Amino acid sequence: AVILPTIWKYLQTLHAEPYFLGLGLSAFSLTGLLAGPLFGHWSDRTRRTKAIILFANLFEIVGNFMYFMGVSKWLLLSSRLVAGIGTGAGASIFGYLTRATAPEGRATVFAAVMACRQAGLLIGPAFNLFLRLCDFRLGPFIVNKYTSPGLFMCFLWMLLQLAVVFMYWDLPPRGALQREEKKQEEEEEGEDEEGEEKPLVAQDIQKSYGSIQSADIQELPLSNGTLDPPSPSRSMGPFHNFSVSREYLREEVMVLLTAQFITLFNQTALETMVTPLTQKYFNFGELENSAMYCLCGIEVIAGFFFVRWLSGRYADRVILAVGLVICNVSCVWFLIFLCKPRGKGAWLLAQFVIGVFLQVLGLPFVSVSQISLFSKVTAEKTQGFSQGLRRSVGGLATILGPLWAGGLIGNLYVMLGVMMGLLTLLTVMMSVFYNQLVEPRTKTDHADTQEGCG
C-alpha cells in the first residue's frame, strides 16, 4: 500500500504508457498466484512455516530494492514480479492458522489477523506524508518521493527477517497439543496410582516442548527442535488418498472460490481507477491520495473488528450474505453516480466518497467469512495447499482487475457493468447453495484417514 499513492506518477517519470499502471499492479499478483500453491504444498509436507517465511521474505527484500532503483519502467515491472513471489508465504501462514485453531473460533482469529493486514494498508499510505519529502542521493541512486517507498519497504522486510529469526517458532498442530495434554493427564494419573516418579529422561524430553513425549520422536521435527506426535494420516503423508476433484469440485467450495475471485477483481479494479479519477475530477496529488487511503484503512480496520464481534454471534454464511448485499449496493451506486457525474465540487466529491465508503465497508464481511468457511469445508491436513489454491484464485483476480480497469478508465459503463454482472452471478450462486455452507470437514478428514489406513 506504500506505493499506491505514487506509482501512477512514478511510471509517468519513467515515460511509461498508461497501461503500465495495470501491468505494475498485476505483476505482483501474477507471481504470487504461482508461488502460493508451491509454498502451501511445502508447508503441508514439512509443517515448517518459519523456514518458508524467511525464504519468501528474501524475494520481498530484493524486489523492493529493485523498485527503489527506478532505472526504467521495465525494471519497475520486474521488481513487482520478484516481490510478488514473497506473497506465496501467505498460503503457509493461513494453513498454519487453520491447523492451530478450532473451527468454531476460526473466524474470530482470521478477523484479527486480517485486521493486522489492514493496519498495514492504513499505515502504508500514511508514510508518504514524510517519504514525499525525501530528496537526496544514495550513491548512484536518487531518493525522492517516488523511489523512497521501495527503499523504505526493503528496510522493513529486513527488520521482519530479524523478528522472525529471533521471535517466532512453529507450534504443533491443535490436534497434537490436545493429544499430548490427554497423554500427560493419563501419565499423571498413573503416577498417582503407582506412587513413583517417572524416569528423568522422560522428564527432560517433556521440557523440550511442554508435553512432548519420547515416544513422539518418530515424526516431523519443528523449528525449535521439538517433534510433532505421530498419527496414521501423518505417517502416510497429508496427500495420501487425496483427490482434487473430490476436494475442490464441490458446490460449496466453488461458491467460495468464486466469491474470492469476484470480490478481489472488483476491489482491485476500483483501486486502479481511483487515482486517475481523483486526479481528473478533484486534482488530487500524493498528499490527498495518501489521506484518502488512510481514511479507507481506518474504516476497514473498524469493519474487521465489527466482523470479529459478529462472528461470535452469527454464522459465517450470514456474514457473507450481508457483505454481498453491501457490495451490490456499492456497485449500483457507482453505476448511477460515477459513470455520468452529476454536479460539481462538494456534491461530486460526496457522491464519490459514499461509493468508496460502501465498497470498503463490504470488504471485511466478505473477506473474513469466505476464508473461514473455506478452511472449514476443505480438509485440514492439506490446508497449506488449499489456501494456496484459494490465494491463487485471488491472485488471478488481482491480475485481471487492474488490467480491466486500466484499459477502460474512459468507458466506466462497460467496466462497472461487467463488475455488476459478476456480483449478480455470485449472489445467485450464494442463494442456491446457501444451505451447503455449513459443515466443517472434520468428519470427512477422519473418513479419509480410515480409508487410507484400510
Side-chain angles (χ1 to χ4, degrees):
V2 174
I3 72 166
L4 286 177
T6 55
I7 187 174
W8 174 242
K9 290 191 175 180
Y10 189 11
L11 285 167
Q12 290 176 332
T13 64
L14 298 175
H15 310 291
E17 294 77 5
Y19 63 82
F20 255 80
L21 174 61
L23 287 177
L25 296 176
S26 298
F28 187 74
S29 302
L30 174 62
T31 46
L33 177 155
L34 300 173
L38 296 177
F39 284 138
H41 182 76
W42 182 6
S43 68
D44 286 334
R45 290 286 188 185
T46 65
R47 298 292 199 264
R48 289 177 177 265
T49 309
K50 180 173 182 175
I52 295 171
I53 294 174
L54 292 173
F55 178 70
N57 286 354
L58 295 176
F59 292 96
E60 299 281 8
I61 293 170
V62 173
N64 279 282
F65 189 80
M66 292 169 62
Y67 186 91
F68 155 70
M69 293 169 64
V71 176
S72 69
K73 60 185 181 183
W74 294 107
L75 182 62
L76 187 147
L77 182 62
S78 300
S79 74
R80 302 296 293 162
L81 288 168
V82 173
I85 297 174
T87 64
S92 302
I93 293 170
F94 275 105
Y96 167 77
L97 288 173
T98 300
R99 291 188 293 267
T101 56
E104 58 272 15
R106 196 166 295 156
T108 302
V109 174
F110 283 169
V113 171
M114 295 180 71
C116 293
R117 176 181 181 271
Q118 294 304 320
L121 294 176
L122 163 65
I123 297 171
F127 277 113
N128 281 277
L129 298 176
F130 73 83
L131 290 175
R132 66 190 181 89
L133 303 177
C134 294
D135 188 15
F136 58 92
R137 297 189 71 90
L138 188 66
F141 305 111
I142 299 174
V143 183
N144 55 31
K145 60 185 177 182
Y146 303 128
T147 62
S148 57
L151 182 63
F152 177 70
M153 287 305 302
C154 181
F155 175 70
L156 284 187
W157 283 109
M158 289 179 179
L159 287 181
L160 180 61
Q161 284 289 77
L162 295 176
V164 173
V165 169
F166 295 109
M167 301 173 65
Y168 170 80
W169 59 92
D170 293 322
L171 295 174
R174 179 175 52 90
L177 291 175
Q178 292 174 342
R179 287 193 297 271
E180 289 309 318
E181 288 174 1
K182 183 177 180 181
K183 187 183 296 183
Q184 188 176 28
E185 290 175 2
E186 292 174 352
E187 291 183 352
E188 288 175 354
E189 291 174 0
E191 283 184 13
D192 293 338
E193 292 175 0
E194 296 173 10
E196 58 183 19
E197 295 288 336
K198 290 288 180 182
L200 182 61
V201 175
Q203 293 177 1
D204 291 340
I205 294 173
Q206 284 183 347
K207 292 178 183 178
S208 68
Y209 195 87
S211 61
I212 302 298
Q213 305 292 314
S214 59
D216 298 327
I217 309 181
Q218 305 290 333
E219 286 298 306
L220 184 65
L222 299 172
S223 62
N224 62 347
T226 62
L227 298 152
D228 196 6
S231 66
S233 59
R234 179 71 57 78
S235 63
M236 294 179 293
F239 290 91
H240 178 80
N241 199 41
F242 178 79
S243 169
V244 172
S245 59
R246 186 175 65 241
E247 185 68 14
Y248 304 122
L249 296 183
R250 292 179 288 116
E251 292 88 348
E252 60 270 31
V253 176
M254 297 306 296
V255 169
L256 295 173
L257 290 177
T258 303
Q260 170 84 348
F261 177 86
I262 292 176
T263 52
L264 283 179
F265 178 90
N266 287 4
Q267 179 194 348
T268 52
L270 290 171
E271 284 177 354
T272 303
M273 77 176 188
V274 159
T275 47
L277 287 179
T278 55
Q279 184 181 34
K280 176 181 178 181
Y281 292 124
F282 313 117
N283 200 29
F284 279 7
E286 294 84 8
L287 178 61
E288 293 84 356
N289 283 329
S290 297
M292 177 185 66
Y293 281 114
C294 284
L295 292 174
C296 290
I298 293 173
E299 181 191 353
V300 170
I301 290 175
F304 273 105
F305 281 110
F306 181 59
V307 170
R308 184 183 181 186
W309 177 79
L310 284 178
S311 64
R313 292 160 175 80
Y314 299 97
D316 291 335
R317 58 178 181 171
V318 175
I319 298 174
L320 178 59
V322 172
L324 281 179
V325 170
I326 297 173
C327 289
N328 275 281
V329 172
S330 169
C331 207
V332 170
W333 181 274
F334 275 127
L335 275 168
I336 295 174
F337 292 102
L338 194 62
C339 293
K340 191 175 181 180
R342 294 164 172 79
K344 295 181 180 180
W347 173 232
L348 180 59
L349 180 60
Q351 297 172 21
F352 180 78
V353 168
I354 292 172
V356 172
F357 174 82
L358 290 172
Q359 173 65 26
V360 173
L361 179 63
L363 181 62
F365 287 83
V366 178
S367 298
V368 173
S369 56
Q370 60 96 357
I371 292 176
S372 177
L373 278 169
F374 187 80
S375 71
K376 295 173 183 177
V377 301
T378 52
E380 186 173 303
K381 62 183 179 180
T382 54
Q383 272 298 299
F385 183 78
S386 296
Q387 293 293 339
L389 174 66
R390 181 190 62 79
R391 288 175 62 87
S392 290
V393 171
L396 181 62
T398 55
I399 291 170
L400 298 178
L403 292 175
W404 177 256
L408 289 167
I409 291 293
N411 198 337
L412 293 180
Y413 275 116
V414 175
M415 185 183 79
L416 292 169
V418 169
M419 292 164 60
M420 186 71 244
L422 291 174
L423 273 176
T424 303
L425 171 64
L426 176 57
T427 305
V428 172
M429 292 177 66
M430 175 73 182
S431 302
V432 173
F433 301 112
Y434 183 79
N435 291 331
Q436 294 176 241
L437 299 172
V438 190
E439 288 295 325
R441 284 295 306 283
T442 50
K443 293 181 180 179
T444 307
D445 288 348
H446 293 318
D448 288 348
T449 301
Q450 292 169 359
E451 183 180 346
C453 291

